[in-house]
Amino acid sequence: MRKCYLIIAAIAFVILSGCDNKKAIVDGITQYELPLMERQESNQITHLINHDGMYRSEQYAANSTLVIDLDYYKSQKISRGDVVYFKTDAKEEEISNKKRKGYDVARVVALPGETLLVKKGQIYINGRVLDTFYGKEYYTNGFINGTDKALSMDKETVLLDGQYLLASDVWWRGGFTEPLPKDKITGRVIGWIKSQNE
């Protein structure tokens, strides 16, 4: 009889502890590496990176050239994990003085209607772990999520309809954007071109 109670208690514990753990959001599709391209097509432009916010390998280093498809989102929806080309909030004076660029690139981490929080270097979307390479903090040459050195946010960021939240892949270099309206996202990064000097 005692064995029966122990078995029932163990089953109840497993069921109840499972209720507190929300299933992770897993992105097994997005890859960090971009395809190397020989040239761009007529509906594409190039963007020269001027910072190390996305840098984990040569293709995203400062002075690397990315290829942007300006028509991509005319037929596709913006997805989590996409590296997008977006209009910044830089003022004309900042752009003309070359202090900031009018456009930049970053990765989509949160979608319209979602809530984002970062705890010890781990992104949570609606209270669920974002289980992918861009869902945790990377520092110079390794992940530091779960450590005291990792980033934590004091409060959640709530996205309204039509808003997206973008982040660099190396948070301490580029960080997170404010919630960004869809019309500021003007293209998708689809590849990169090696410098002609190499």
Side-chain angles (χ1 to χ4, degrees):
M1 189 70 155
R2 187 167 183 232
K3 245 185 194 178
C4 186
Y5 285 126
L6 288 174
I7 292 170
I8 291 169
I11 291 170
F13 176 77
V14 169
I15 291 170
L16 290 174
S17 62
C19 291
D20 289 341
N21 296 331
K22 295 180 179 177
K23 191 174 179 184
I25 296 171
V26 179
D27 179 352
I29 298 169
T30 303
Q31 296 181 354
Y32 175 76
E33 299 296 328
L34 293 168
L36 183 61
M37 300 175 73
E38 295 295 320
R39 60 187 173 79
Q40 68 196 62
E41 302 296 328
S42 60
N43 63 330
Q44 300 167 353
I45 61 168
T46 58
H47 173 76
L48 184 68
I49 297 180
N50 68 342
H51 59 77
D52 288 338
M54 298 294 289
Y55 179 55
R56 291 189 200 172
S57 69
E58 177 187 8
Q59 62 191 337
Y60 284 117
N63 298 317
S64 179
T65 302
L66 300 179
V67 178
I68 315 293
D69 185 340
L70 296 175
D71 292 336
Y72 189 85
Y73 293 119
K74 289 179 180 174
S75 61
Q76 304 292 324
K77 66 177 187 154
I78 298 169
S79 297
R80 192 186 327 275
D82 287 357
V83 177
V84 297
Y85 182 66
F86 68 98
K87 186 168 178 35
T88 69
D89 61 358
K91 300 191 175 21
E92 287 301 322
E93 184 180 325
E94 293 174 308
I95 296 168
S96 60
N97 291 338
K98 298 189 177 179
K99 290 186 176 177
R100 292 182 68 197
K101 283 193 168 187
Y103 288 85
D104 203 354
V105 297
R107 191 176 303 278
V108 176
V109 293
L111 304 172
E114 293 183 338
T115 299
L116 177 139
L117 183 66
V118 177
K119 289 191 274 187
K120 284 198 168 186
Q122 174 64 60
I123 292 177
Y124 291 83
I125 303 292
N126 298 337
R128 299 165 60 191
V129 168
L130 177 56
D131 185 10
T132 181
F133 70 89
Y134 59 84
K136 52 192 175 184
E137 189 167 7
Y138 182 87
Y139 190 92
T140 309
N141 49 3
F143 291 103
I144 62 166
N145 56 304
T147 69
D148 290 334
K149 188 175 166 182
L151 174 73
S152 287
M153 292 181 169
D154 294 333
K155 60 179 186 168
E156 295 177 327
T157 301
V158 179
L159 301 178
L160 304 176
D161 282 345
Q163 290 184 329
Y164 296 82
L165 194 71
L166 314 180
S168 62
D169 280 345
V170 184
W171 300 349
W172 69 274
R173 288 182 175 146
F176 292 77
T177 66
E178 292 295 319
L180 200 70
K182 183 178 181 179
D183 63 0
K184 296 255 184 173
I185 296 173
T186 60
R188 184 178 189 267
V189 175
I190 58 165
W192 70 297
I193 298 175
K194 259 191 189 292
S195 166
Q196 300 299 323
N197 301 331
E198 295 177 18

